[in-house]
Amino acid sequence: MKIAFFNPQGNFDKNDSHLTEHPDFGGQLIYVKELAKAMGKFGYKVDIITRKITDEKWPEFSKDFDYYEDAENVRIVRIEFGGKNFLNKEKLWDFLGEYVKKIYQFYQKERLPDFVTTHYGDGGISGAMFKKLTNIPYSFTAHSLGAQKKDKFKHSKDAEKKYRFSIRISAERCAMKYANFIVASTSQEKQHQYTHNEYLDLYQDIKHKIFVIPPGVNTKIFHIDESDEFKDVFQNKPPIIISSRIDPKKNIEFVIESFETYLKKDYTLILVLRKKPKEYSGYQREIIEKTKKAGGKFLIITSQEKLAKLYNSAAKHNGIFALTSHYEPFGLAIIEAMACGLPVIATKSGGPVEILDNGRYGYLVSTQEEFRKAALDLQKNHPLFSKRSYERVINKYTWEICAKEYLSKIHMHLKSNKNIILPSFFDAQLR
């Protein structure tokens, strides 16, 4: 069986270039890559279909095909659409019809896929258009929905122009309506994101086909080992590790301020970067300066393997992983840390509530006082939470488990078919 993944934004290459550095290169790409690789291990042929870019600033994405060295049966297929230069995801909406038609042309040279999994709203509407052309069924995994982001910018005059919420939400609605099944990462995502007013009229018709399938963690990289190569960085104090993308929604300043106000004598603050501090600008540079002013330290880590080594060292020195986003749809970074035995303090808003089972497997906070208390409590109960963290991941959050759930649903829906009436904006793109 052949399965295609539609993911037009960001990009993929064998070296994970730019991963987490750019808003279009976040956790969604890790999700797609790891799920595809897990399906490949089960013997399925998998294509990740993304965008070809012929741009000297983005040389990694110029070839038609690419392959992961550690992945059987998986190839990256790059389709040229929307010109040659890199485009932010908000600018891709106008070219998705071209993306779909060129995918169809590509598969005229070989066998069409049996099933398509689609990711984010742009991938979802592409799956609907492709289904209209071919009758091939698809699944839709939103990762995040536009309505929630729109709410955050409701007081901004130029938010619609910048983020194109109207087109995104229209695409998501169509993707939901015609998907053979929809994947949510948590029960909270299913119950709250899909019942937003922008989608509520659809919910009664689609709720039966929304399945909760949690993402996984790459346990070949993120696991407990005996290494302790970062011990000299911690200044003989337990570390608080921040390794999320430096983005306002990640609320990193909350951790910095909690550390500076309450925990400087008890912990070392470590902010993980992917390049030298002087190479950052704007908001990212502000966060780096705040970290420096608070007495925190920086580590430049450019590979997941090194990140896993950091987590292992931090766990051995009673450290903490902190992710206190304003809202976190799932929290893939959390389970990566937990797989290394590193306990977590996370936001009460979003997926971490489910991952940590309301506090059984880690600490959930919304105030600096709660963060302080959680950090000090962890010093006393670190071995218990380290053990629980690891066991939680192994029993519930692996990509093999995730892939099996997807594949069971795919086999159920391969015979399903529906005629599709696309919103006018997207229907015109297929003409």
Side-chain angles (χ1 to χ4, degrees):
M1 183 189 295
K2 182 188 288 187
I3 299 170
F5 283 62
F6 284 12
N7 200 112
Q9 65 171 272
N11 220 305
F12 300 81
D13 74 309
K14 62 185 175 184
N15 296 318
D16 293 333
S17 303
H18 310 286
L19 203 62
T20 77
E21 286 181 4
H22 187 282
D24 294 1
F25 286 76
Q28 174 187 332
L29 269 64
I30 297 173
Y31 182 112
V32 167
K33 178 188 77 169
E34 295 297 346
L35 177 59
K37 288 166 66 174
M39 288 182 178
K41 288 177 184 175
F42 288 126
Y44 294 81
K45 298 293 184 182
V46 181
D47 288 339
I48 300 174
I49 306 183
T50 189
R51 184 165 178 255
K52 182 179 178 179
I53 302 168
T54 310
D55 184 336
E56 61 181 14
K57 296 179 181 178
W58 305 82
E60 305 88 353
F61 311 126
S62 60
K63 294 182 179 179
D64 293 332
F65 300 100
D66 206 347
Y67 302 88
Y68 294 109
E69 294 176 358
D70 61 342
E72 303 173 60
N73 302 316
V74 178
R75 65 177 176 174
I76 300 164
V77 179
R78 300 195 182 102
I79 302 294
E80 187 174 294
F81 68 100
K84 296 182 180 296
N85 295 333
F86 179 83
L87 295 175
N88 291 336
K89 61 180 181 285
E90 288 83 9
K91 295 182 179 179
L92 290 179
W93 296 109
D94 300 326
F95 307 105
L96 294 178
E98 182 185 3
Y99 172 64
V100 172
K101 286 186 281 189
K102 286 192 173 180
I103 293 172
Y104 183 71
Q105 291 168 9
F106 169 77
Y107 279 122
Q108 297 308 297
K109 303 170 187 174
E110 54 181 80
R111 185 171 67 86
L112 283 161
D114 300 288
F115 195 90
V116 174
T117 81
T118 72
H119 300 270
Y120 193 77
D122 51 11
I125 190 66
S126 298
M129 287 190 274
F130 194 70
K131 186 177 181 180
K132 186 172 185 177
L133 284 176
T134 65
N135 283 326
I136 293 172
Y138 72 94
S139 65
F140 175 50
T141 307
H143 298 279
S144 66
L145 289 170
Q148 279 77 18
K149 185 169 184 177
K150 180 181 177 182
D151 288 345
K152 294 174 186 175
F153 290 92
K154 59 186 176 183
H155 300 301
S156 174
K157 293 181 180 179
D158 59 351
E160 170 64 28
K161 182 179 179 181
K162 181 177 180 180
Y163 295 111
R164 307 186 76 182
F165 291 122
S166 298
I167 290 175
R168 176 175 174 181
I169 291 169
S170 178
E172 291 166 345
R173 286 173 56 86
C174 187
M176 293 172 194
K177 184 175 181 178
Y178 294 108
N180 293 72
F181 66 92
I182 298 166
V183 176
S185 293
T186 65
S187 297
Q188 186 181 53
E189 180 185 340
K190 175 180 178 179
Q191 294 161 5
H192 296 290
Q193 289 203 60
Y194 286 89
T195 56
H196 189 282
N197 286 338
E198 297 278 6
Y199 319 108
L200 189 57
D201 60 315
L202 285 174
Y203 185 70
Q204 291 303 318
D205 294 329
I206 67 171
K207 65 179 182 180
H208 69 283
K209 63 179 181 180
I210 304 177
F211 297 95
V212 177
I213 303 178
V217 64
N218 185 337
T219 52
K220 282 190 173 180
I221 295 175
F222 295 97
H223 58 269
I224 295 174
D225 64 33
E226 299 304 315
S227 65
D228 193 10
E229 64 182 80
F230 289 94
K231 61 183 178 180
D232 295 333
V233 177
F234 303 150
Q235 300 172 328
N236 297 316
K237 288 188 287 188
I240 298 172
I241 305 292
I242 305 170
S243 67
S244 56
R245 187 174 70 250
I246 303 177
D247 184 290
K249 67 183 180 183
K250 296 298 182 182
N251 199 20
I252 292 173
E253 51 264 66
F254 174 88
V255 181
I256 298 170
E257 290 165 7
S258 299
F259 166 77
E260 187 174 22
T261 305
Y262 296 113
L263 298 165
K264 287 184 74 169
K265 67 178 178 17
D266 302 291
Y267 282 90
T268 297
L269 181 66
I270 305 288
L271 177 64
V272 175
L273 306 175
R274 286 183 63 87
K275 53 190 178 183
K276 295 177 181 178
K278 65 181 181 181
E279 296 178 37
Y280 290 88
S281 60
Y283 173 80
Q284 296 175 328
R285 188 55 184 253
E286 289 177 22
I287 290 298
I288 288 170
E289 292 302 319
K290 281 187 178 182
T291 303
K292 190 185 299 183
K293 183 179 177 184
K297 297 175 69 69
F298 309 106
L299 280 176
I300 299 172
I301 293 181
T302 58
S303 72
Q304 288 189 303
E305 288 78 9
K306 276 290 185 183
L307 191 60
K309 294 295 185 184
L310 173 63
Y311 292 163
N312 268 279
S313 283
K316 289 176 177 62
H317 293 270
N318 294 333
I320 296 165
F321 179 86
L323 185 68
T324 58
S325 309
H326 293 296
Y327 178 81
E328 189 66 35
F330 179 67
L332 189 58
I334 287 175
I335 58 174
E336 290 174 346
M338 292 170 68
C340 300
L342 182 60
V344 169
I345 299 177
T347 178
K348 286 183 179 180
S349 181
V353 175
E354 217 156 298
I355 295 173
L356 302 179
D357 194 13
N358 285 298
R360 184 178 179 189
Y361 297 98
Y363 290 78
L364 297 161
V365 303
S366 60
T367 68
Q368 289 185 11
E369 174 58 26
E370 289 175 340
F371 192 98
R372 180 194 70 81
K373 187 176 183 298
L376 295 178
D377 284 350
L378 262 177
Q379 287 191 341
K380 302 173 187 175
N381 299 301
H382 197 278
L384 172 65
F385 276 94
S386 179
K387 183 174 183 291
R388 282 183 179 176
S389 297
Y390 173 76
E391 291 175 348
R392 177 69 164 171
V393 170
I394 295 304
N395 293 329
K396 191 173 178 66
Y397 297 111
T398 70
W399 287 114
E400 288 74 18
I401 295 171
C402 182
K404 285 179 182 177
E405 289 290 319
Y406 261 90
L407 291 168
S408 70
K409 301 295 183 295
I410 287 171
H411 282 279
M412 283 173 52
H413 289 277
L414 273 174
K415 295 182 180 180
S416 178
N417 253 322
K418 283 187 179 179
N419 293 322
I420 292 178
I421 301 173
L422 293 167
S424 58
F425 175 84
F426 300 101
D427 193 38
Q429 292 195 42
L430 277 181
R431 295 189 189 121

PDB file of all heavy atoms in Angstrom, residues 162-180:
ATOM      1  N   LYS A 162      -2.422  39.800   7.332  1.00  0.00           N
ATOM      2  CA  LYS A 162      -1.170  39.066   7.564  1.00  0.00           C
ATOM      3  C   LYS A 162      -1.385  37.563   7.613  1.00  0.00           C
ATOM      4  O   LYS A 162      -0.621  36.795   7.010  1.00  0.00           O
ATOM      5  CB  LYS A 162      -0.534  39.544   8.870  1.00  0.00           C
ATOM      6  CG  LYS A 162       0.787  38.858   9.198  1.00  0.00           C
ATOM      7  CD  LYS A 162       1.409  39.428  10.471  1.00  0.00           C
ATOM      8  CE  LYS A 162       2.730  38.728  10.790  1.00  0.00           C
ATOM      9  NZ  LYS A 162       3.355  39.263  12.023  1.00  0.00           N
ATOM     10  N   TYR A 163      -2.431  37.120   8.350  1.00  0.00           N
ATOM     11  CA  TYR A 163      -2.606  35.685   8.602  1.00  0.00           C
ATOM     12  C   TYR A 163      -3.675  35.030   7.733  1.00  0.00           C
ATOM     13  O   TYR A 163      -3.789  33.811   7.728  1.00  0.00           O
ATOM     14  CB  TYR A 163      -2.931  35.454  10.078  1.00  0.00           C
ATOM     15  CG  TYR A 163      -1.804  35.844  11.000  1.00  0.00           C
ATOM     16  CD1 TYR A 163      -1.925  36.941  11.853  1.00  0.00           C
ATOM     17  CD2 TYR A 163      -0.611  35.125  11.020  1.00  0.00           C
ATOM     18  CE1 TYR A 163      -0.891  37.308  12.705  1.00  0.00           C
ATOM     19  CE2 TYR A 163       0.426  35.484  11.864  1.00  0.00           C
ATOM     20  CZ  TYR A 163       0.279  36.577  12.710  1.00  0.00           C
ATOM     21  OH  TYR A 163       1.302  36.940  13.542  1.00  0.00           O
ATOM     22  N   ARG A 164      -4.492  35.830   7.051  1.00  0.00           N
ATOM     23  CA  ARG A 164      -5.483  35.318   6.107  1.00  0.00           C
ATOM     24  C   ARG A 164      -6.417  34.297   6.757  1.00  0.00           C
ATOM     25  O   ARG A 164      -6.645  33.190   6.264  1.00  0.00           O
ATOM     26  CB  ARG A 164      -4.788  34.753   4.873  1.00  0.00           C
ATOM     27  CG  ARG A 164      -3.818  35.745   4.234  1.00  0.00           C
ATOM     28  CD  ARG A 164      -3.255  35.240   2.936  1.00  0.00           C
ATOM     29  NE  ARG A 164      -4.224  35.341   1.870  1.00  0.00           N
ATOM     30  CZ  ARG A 164      -3.995  34.930   0.620  1.00  0.00           C
ATOM     31  NH1 ARG A 164      -2.815  34.408   0.303  1.00  0.00           N
ATOM     32  NH2 ARG A 164      -4.920  35.033  -0.306  1.00  0.00           N
ATOM     33  N   PHE A 165      -6.979  34.697   7.889  1.00  0.00           N
ATOM     34  CA  PHE A 165      -7.826  33.796   8.665  1.00  0.00           C
ATOM     35  C   PHE A 165      -9.051  33.324   7.878  1.00  0.00           C
ATOM     36  O   PHE A 165      -9.463  32.161   8.014  1.00  0.00           O
ATOM     37  CB  PHE A 165      -8.293  34.481   9.955  1.00  0.00           C
ATOM     38  CG  PHE A 165      -7.197  34.722  10.950  1.00  0.00           C
ATOM     39  CD1 PHE A 165      -6.921  36.008  11.399  1.00  0.00           C
ATOM     40  CD2 PHE A 165      -6.431  33.675  11.441  1.00  0.00           C
ATOM     41  CE1 PHE A 165      -5.914  36.234  12.317  1.00  0.00           C
ATOM     42  CE2 PHE A 165      -5.416  33.895  12.355  1.00  0.00           C
ATOM     43  CZ  PHE A 165      -5.156  35.182  12.801  1.00  0.00           C
ATOM     44  N   SER A 166      -9.648  34.188   7.076  1.00  0.00           N
ATOM     45  CA  SER A 166     -10.863  33.807   6.358  1.00  0.00           C
ATOM     46  C   SER A 166     -10.609  32.627   5.432  1.00  0.00           C
ATOM     47  O   SER A 166     -11.390  31.664   5.395  1.00  0.00           O
ATOM     48  CB  SER A 166     -11.401  35.002   5.561  1.00  0.00           C
ATOM     49  OG  SER A 166     -11.756  36.053   6.419  1.00  0.00           O
ATOM     50  N   ILE A 167      -9.506  32.695   4.696  1.00  0.00           N
ATOM     51  CA  ILE A 167      -9.168  31.601   3.780  1.00  0.00           C
ATOM     52  C   ILE A 167      -8.791  30.352   4.574  1.00  0.00           C
ATOM     53  O   ILE A 167      -9.217  29.239   4.244  1.00  0.00           O
ATOM     54  CB  ILE A 167      -8.027  32.026   2.843  1.00  0.00           C
ATOM     55  CG1 ILE A 167      -8.538  33.070   1.849  1.00  0.00           C
ATOM     56  CG2 ILE A 167      -7.442  30.825   2.105  1.00  0.00           C
ATOM     57  CD1 ILE A 167      -7.472  33.642   0.953  1.00  0.00           C
ATOM     58  N   ARG A 168      -8.012  30.541   5.622  1.00  0.00           N
ATOM     59  CA  ARG A 168      -7.584  29.379   6.409  1.00  0.00           C
ATOM     60  C   ARG A 168      -8.782  28.655   7.017  1.00  0.00           C
ATOM     61  O   ARG A 168      -8.868  27.420   6.937  1.00  0.00           O
ATOM     62  CB  ARG A 168      -6.616  29.832   7.514  1.00  0.00           C
ATOM     63  CG  ARG A 168      -6.204  28.696   8.439  1.00  0.00           C
ATOM     64  CD  ARG A 168      -5.164  29.120   9.452  1.00  0.00           C
ATOM     65  NE  ARG A 168      -4.904  28.049  10.402  1.00  0.00           N
ATOM     66  CZ  ARG A 168      -4.050  28.120  11.416  1.00  0.00           C
ATOM     67  NH1 ARG A 168      -3.343  29.229  11.593  1.00  0.00           N
ATOM     68  NH2 ARG A 168      -3.870  27.102  12.223  1.00  0.00           N
ATOM     69  N   ILE A 169      -9.696  29.385   7.616  1.00  0.00           N
ATOM     70  CA  ILE A 169     -10.835  28.746   8.273  1.00  0.00           C
ATOM     71  C   ILE A 169     -11.756  28.092   7.247  1.00  0.00           C
ATOM     72  O   ILE A 169     -12.278  26.992   7.465  1.00  0.00           O
ATOM     73  CB  ILE A 169     -11.582  29.771   9.148  1.00  0.00           C
ATOM     74  CG1 ILE A 169     -10.697  30.147  10.342  1.00  0.00           C
ATOM     75  CG2 ILE A 169     -12.923  29.215   9.633  1.00  0.00           C
ATOM     76  CD1 ILE A 169     -11.199  31.347  11.135  1.00  0.00           C
ATOM     77  N   SER A 170     -11.931  28.733   6.092  1.00  0.00           N
ATOM     78  CA  SER A 170     -12.705  28.125   5.009  1.00  0.00           C
ATOM     79  C   SER A 170     -12.078  26.804   4.572  1.00  0.00           C
ATOM     80  O   SER A 170     -12.778  25.805   4.349  1.00  0.00           O
ATOM     81  CB  SER A 170     -12.793  29.094   3.834  1.00  0.00           C
ATOM     82  OG  SER A 170     -13.503  28.525   2.762  1.00  0.00           O
ATOM     83  N   ALA A 171     -10.749  26.794   4.454  1.00  0.00           N
ATOM     84  CA  ALA A 171     -10.034  25.565   4.076  1.00  0.00           C
ATOM     85  C   ALA A 171     -10.210  24.485   5.128  1.00  0.00           C
ATOM     86  O   ALA A 171     -10.440  23.306   4.803  1.00  0.00           O
ATOM     87  CB  ALA A 171      -8.547  25.881   3.873  1.00  0.00           C
ATOM     88  N   GLU A 172     -10.091  24.858   6.393  1.00  0.00           N
ATOM     89  CA  GLU A 172     -10.236  23.885   7.474  1.00  0.00           C
ATOM     90  C   GLU A 172     -11.630  23.279   7.494  1.00  0.00           C
ATOM     91  O   GLU A 172     -11.793  22.066   7.691  1.00  0.00           O
ATOM     92  CB  GLU A 172      -9.926  24.563   8.821  1.00  0.00           C
ATOM     93  CG  GLU A 172      -8.464  24.922   8.981  1.00  0.00           C
ATOM     94  CD  GLU A 172      -8.203  25.882  10.143  1.00  0.00           C
ATOM     95  OE1 GLU A 172      -9.180  26.495  10.653  1.00  0.00           O
ATOM     96  OE2 GLU A 172      -7.034  26.012  10.532  1.00  0.00           O
ATOM     97  N   ARG A 173     -12.640  24.110   7.293  1.00  0.00           N
ATOM     98  CA  ARG A 173     -14.018  23.617   7.286  1.00  0.00           C
ATOM     99  C   ARG A 173     -14.233  22.597   6.164  1.00  0.00           C
ATOM    100  O   ARG A 173     -14.853  21.550   6.358  1.00  0.00           O
ATOM    101  CB  ARG A 173     -14.998  24.779   7.146  1.00  0.00           C
ATOM    102  CG  ARG A 173     -15.144  25.626   8.413  1.00  0.00           C
ATOM    103  CD  ARG A 173     -16.011  26.864   8.151  1.00  0.00           C
ATOM    104  NE  ARG A 173     -17.315  26.484   7.627  1.00  0.00           N
ATOM    105  CZ  ARG A 173     -18.373  26.143   8.365  1.00  0.00           C
ATOM    106  NH1 ARG A 173     -18.274  26.128   9.688  1.00  0.00           N
ATOM    107  NH2 ARG A 173     -19.526  25.810   7.802  1.00  0.00           N
ATOM    108  N   CYS A 174     -13.707  22.904   5.005  1.00  0.00           N
ATOM    109  CA  CYS A 174     -13.835  21.971   3.880  1.00  0.00           C
ATOM    110  C   CYS A 174     -13.068  20.677   4.159  1.00  0.00           C
ATOM    111  O   CYS A 174     -13.555  19.577   3.894  1.00  0.00           O
ATOM    112  CB  CYS A 174     -13.335  22.629   2.604  1.00  0.00           C
ATOM    113  SG  CYS A 174     -13.615  21.646   1.114  1.00  0.00           S
ATOM    114  N   ALA A 175     -11.850  20.825   4.690  1.00  0.00           N
ATOM    115  CA  ALA A 175     -11.041  19.643   5.016  1.00  0.00           C
ATOM    116  C   ALA A 175     -11.764  18.750   6.014  1.00  0.00           C
ATOM    117  O   ALA A 175     -11.780  17.520   5.876  1.00  0.00           O
ATOM    118  CB  ALA A 175      -9.689  20.081   5.566  1.00  0.00           C
ATOM    119  N   MET A 176     -12.374  19.362   7.038  1.00  0.00           N
ATOM    120  CA  MET A 176     -13.125  18.599   8.044  1.00  0.00           C
ATOM    121  C   MET A 176     -14.317  17.872   7.415  1.00  0.00           C
ATOM    122  O   MET A 176     -14.573  16.700   7.686  1.00  0.00           O
ATOM    123  CB  MET A 176     -13.653  19.535   9.131  1.00  0.00           C
ATOM    124  CG  MET A 176     -12.612  20.184   9.992  1.00  0.00           C
ATOM    125  SD  MET A 176     -13.422  21.428  11.059  1.00  0.00           S
ATOM    126  CE  MET A 176     -12.002  22.325  11.656  1.00  0.00           C
ATOM    127  N   LYS A 177     -15.056  18.603   6.587  1.00  0.00           N
ATOM    128  CA  LYS A 177     -16.304  18.074   6.036  1.00  0.00           C
ATOM    129  C   LYS A 177     -16.083  16.837   5.178  1.00  0.00           C
ATOM    130  O   LYS A 177     -16.844  15.859   5.262  1.00  0.00           O
ATOM    131  CB  LYS A 177     -16.996  19.164   5.216  1.00  0.00           C
ATOM    132  CG  LYS A 177     -18.366  18.756   4.677  1.00  0.00           C
ATOM    133  CD  LYS A 177     -19.043  19.933   3.989  1.00  0.00           C
ATOM    134  CE  LYS A 177     -20.425  19.535   3.459  1.00  0.00           C
ATOM    135  NZ  LYS A 177     -21.111  20.676   2.825  1.00  0.00           N
ATOM    136  N   TYR A 178     -15.041  16.850   4.361  1.00  0.00           N
ATOM    137  CA  TYR A 178     -14.867  15.781   3.389  1.00  0.00           C
ATOM    138  C   TYR A 178     -13.788  14.768   3.771  1.00  0.00           C
ATOM    139  O   TYR A 178     -13.590  13.792   3.040  1.00  0.00           O
ATOM    140  CB  TYR A 178     -14.583  16.374   2.013  1.00  0.00           C
ATOM    141  CG  TYR A 178     -15.769  17.145   1.486  1.00  0.00           C
ATOM    142  CD1 TYR A 178     -15.754  18.533   1.414  1.00  0.00           C
ATOM    143  CD2 TYR A 178     -16.930  16.480   1.095  1.00  0.00           C
ATOM    144  CE1 TYR A 178     -16.856  19.237   0.950  1.00  0.00           C
ATOM    145  CE2 TYR A 178     -18.037  17.172   0.636  1.00  0.00           C
ATOM    146  CZ  TYR A 178     -17.999  18.558   0.563  1.00  0.00           C
ATOM    147  OH  TYR A 178     -19.095  19.241   0.115  1.00  0.00           O
ATOM    148  N   ALA A 179     -13.125  14.971   4.875  1.00  0.00           N
ATOM    149  CA  ALA A 179     -12.139  13.986   5.332  1.00  0.00           C
ATOM    150  C   ALA A 179     -12.835  12.678   5.678  1.00  0.00           C
ATOM    151  O   ALA A 179     -13.946  12.670   6.225  1.00  0.00           O
ATOM    152  CB  ALA A 179     -11.384  14.516   6.543  1.00  0.00           C
ATOM    153  N   ASN A 180     -12.175  11.582   5.398  1.00  0.00           N
ATOM    154  CA  ASN A 180     -12.714  10.284   5.806  1.00  0.00           C
ATOM    155  C   ASN A 180     -12.588  10.080   7.305  1.00  0.00           C
ATOM    156  O   ASN A 180     -13.433   9.440   7.916  1.00  0.00           O
ATOM    157  CB  ASN A 180     -12.003   9.170   5.042  1.00  0.00           C
ATOM    158  CG  ASN A 180     -12.346   9.224   3.568  1.00  0.00           C
ATOM    159  OD1 ASN A 180     -11.891  10.120   2.860  1.00  0.00           O
ATOM    160  ND2 ASN A 180     -13.176   8.307   3.103  1.00  0.00           N
TER     161      ASN A 180
END
